[in-house]
Amino acid sequence: MSLKEQIPKDYRSGFVALIGRPNVGKSTLVNQLVGEKVAITSPVAQTTRIRLRAIVTTSKAQLIMVDTPGIHKPHHLLGERLVKSARSTIGEVDVVLLLLDGSQLPGKGDNYIINLLKQQKLPVVVVLNKWDLVGNEQSQKREKLYRDFLRQSSWPVFRCSALKGDGCLDLPKVLTEYLPLGPQLYPPELRSDQPEKILLAELIREQVLLHTREEVPHSVAVSIDRVEEIPSKKKKPNSKNHTALLATILVERKSQKGILIGKAGSMLKTIGKEARFQIQALIDGPVYLELFVKVVPDWRSKPARLAELGYEEN
Ligand code: GDP
Ligand code: MG
């Protein structure tokens, strides 16, 4: 019997938007729920640029999670597109998962998002994330504070740690209640709708962000120039093919290129090595990775360049 035939009549499927200020842990939560790394995360705000759909399939429902770039005040063309994309996502989903940083007190940024959501009249489930950072003695008081903060709404509130996994596993079940009846929209083994090339580029960009911090972050993009599978030379029947990757890291200034390459190429080597580990885990096989760094002044303000890198207007 195929999987399709086993699907019960009361099966549900639909879209969940993950909404929250930059850095609250949206991408971390997506990875936790999906069970593998499909979204990149980092301590640098505005890490997420592409609109990623992560797919969570359970025996009762299929949830398509839309990880949106954080809602914030736009600064330049790229920022504007990110915000537009987050705002249009809210209009297309069945339920919103509003993620707040429970380890901090609620603030103006949260208010902005909450008001935006109230205008939409969509069901909202609130998750207070980073609860691992809230001390036991603080826990009750902090939760009450957030409940008071949200009191004009009837939204249910949950606590979790996306990083550690505590409290996250109930969320698919909670969210399922808000989805319409419907069949699986994607094959159950699929975890993400992004073409592999974009995921690969994102894994490399993640390592750039993790290793360079303040100096480079927002002006970096990665393009995957070539992906090639090289058949394994080993005679063993199940030895895996190698994947050879050629990628270019784009930066805006010459000084940033210098930082990325590092002393005698040491920085690029580190980024390449760590990215390779991540990619090997994603594609489950050995990887060769060759990285180049290229200066493209002001790429963020050039529409053609943005489209080429996958940040499409929508
Ligand atoms: P996003 O911008 O909302 O997608 O946030 P990310 O998922 O990229 O996370 C931002 C940072 O917060 C990263 O350094 C994460 O490791 C960290 N983070 C996310 N969730 C948790 C959590 O539950 N606990 C702690 N301590 N850190 C977290
Ligand atoms: Mg993110």
Side-chain angles (χ1 to χ4, degrees), residues 22-28 41-43 48 129-130 132-133 161-163:
N23 236 21
V24 295
K26 297 179 293 298
S27 300
T28 308
T41 63
S42 96
T48 305
N129 190 33
K130 306 200 185 183
D132 55 296
L133 298 176
S161 166
L163 193 66

Side-chain angles (χ1 to χ4, degrees), residues 112-126:
Y112 175 76
I113 295 174
I114 288 164
N115 287 333
L116 206 71
L117 288 175
K118 278 192 181 147
Q119 293 162 22
Q120 304 290 324
K121 302 209 165 49
L122 265 171
V124 174
V125 172
V126 181

Side-chain angles (χ1 to χ4, degrees), residues 149-162:
F149 178 69
L150 293 160
R151 72 178 173 280
Q152 303 98 323
S153 72
S154 52
W155 302 336
V157 179
F158 297 85
R159 313 186 301 205
C160 89
S161 166

Side-chain angles (χ1 to χ4, degrees), residues 87-107:
R87 292 183 71 136
S88 71
T89 303
I90 304 178
E92 296 164 6
V93 298
D94 300 297
V95 54
V96 170
L97 201 164
L98 171 62
L99 208 57
L100 302 173
D101 183 347
S103 73
Q104 293 182 5
L105 299 175

Side-chain angles (χ1 to χ4, degrees), residues 27 35 51 71 94 98 108 176 212 261 313:
S27 300
R51 204 147 80 147
I71 299 179
D94 300 297
L98 171 62
K108 264 194 207 144
T176 295
T212 57
I261 290 175
E313 197 157 18

Side-chain angles (χ1 to χ4, degrees), residues 39-234:
I40 75 165
T41 63
S42 96
V44 185
Q46 292 177 51
T47 300
T48 305
R49 281 193 196 145
I50 53 169
R51 204 147 80 147
L52 179 92
R53 283 177 176 183
I55 302 150
V56 179
T57 305
T58 71
S59 59
K60 302 253 176 351
Q62 188 169 63
L63 298 87
I64 298 145
M65 320 267 309
V66 191
D67 180 17
T68 59
I71 299 179
H72 59 98
K73 302 258 150 69
H75 288 305
H76 43 66
L77 186 58
L78 176 58
E80 251 171 66
R81 284 206 187 157
L82 295 183
V83 175
K84 229 165 113 188
S85 148
R87 292 183 71 136
S88 71
T89 303
I90 304 178
E92 296 164 6
V93 298
D94 300 297
V95 54
V96 170
L97 201 164
L98 171 62
L99 208 57
L100 302 173
D101 183 347
S103 73
Q104 293 182 5
L105 299 175
K108 264 194 207 144
D110 298 316
N111 241 333
Y112 175 76
I113 295 174
I114 288 164
N115 287 333
L116 206 71
L117 288 175
K118 278 192 181 147
Q119 293 162 22
Q120 304 290 324
K121 302 209 165 49
L122 265 171
V124 174
V125 172
V126 181
V127 172
L128 306 176
N129 190 33
K130 306 200 185 183
W131 211 258
D132 55 296
L133 298 176
V134 180
N136 267 343
E137 66 290 353
Q138 276 284 316
S139 187
Q140 240 178 346
K141 208 170 126 204
R142 180 63 55 88
E143 186 175 338
K144 185 174 179 307
L145 194 116
Y146 266 98
R147 283 187 187 276
D148 288 346
F149 178 69
L150 293 160
R151 72 178 173 280
Q152 303 98 323
S153 72
S154 52
W155 302 336
V157 179
F158 297 85
R159 313 186 301 205
C160 89
S161 166
L163 193 66
K164 309 242 150 108
D166 304 332
C168 299
L169 295 178
D170 298 336
L171 292 175
K173 200 170 139 208
V174 172
L175 293 165
T176 295
E177 289 173 32
Y178 298 94
L179 303 184
L181 291 172
Q184 292 179 345
L185 301 171
Y186 289 96
E189 65 280 2
L190 207 67
R191 301 281 183 268
S192 157
D193 75 333
Q194 282 299 331
E196 202 167 57
K197 254 190 176 180
I198 289 189
L199 292 178
L200 297 174
E202 287 286 276
L203 288 175
I204 296 170
R205 195 165 64 84
E206 176 176 52
Q207 291 308 320
V208 173
L209 297 184
L210 286 173
H211 286 96
T212 57
R213 294 290 172 93
E214 248 79 282
E215 309 96 320
V216 182
H218 301 311
S219 47
V220 74
V222 174
S223 75
I224 301 288
D225 308 319
R226 217 165 73 210
V227 183
E228 214 175 307
E229 249 191 85
I230 302 168
S232 169
K233 288 197 189 97
K234 292 193 189 128

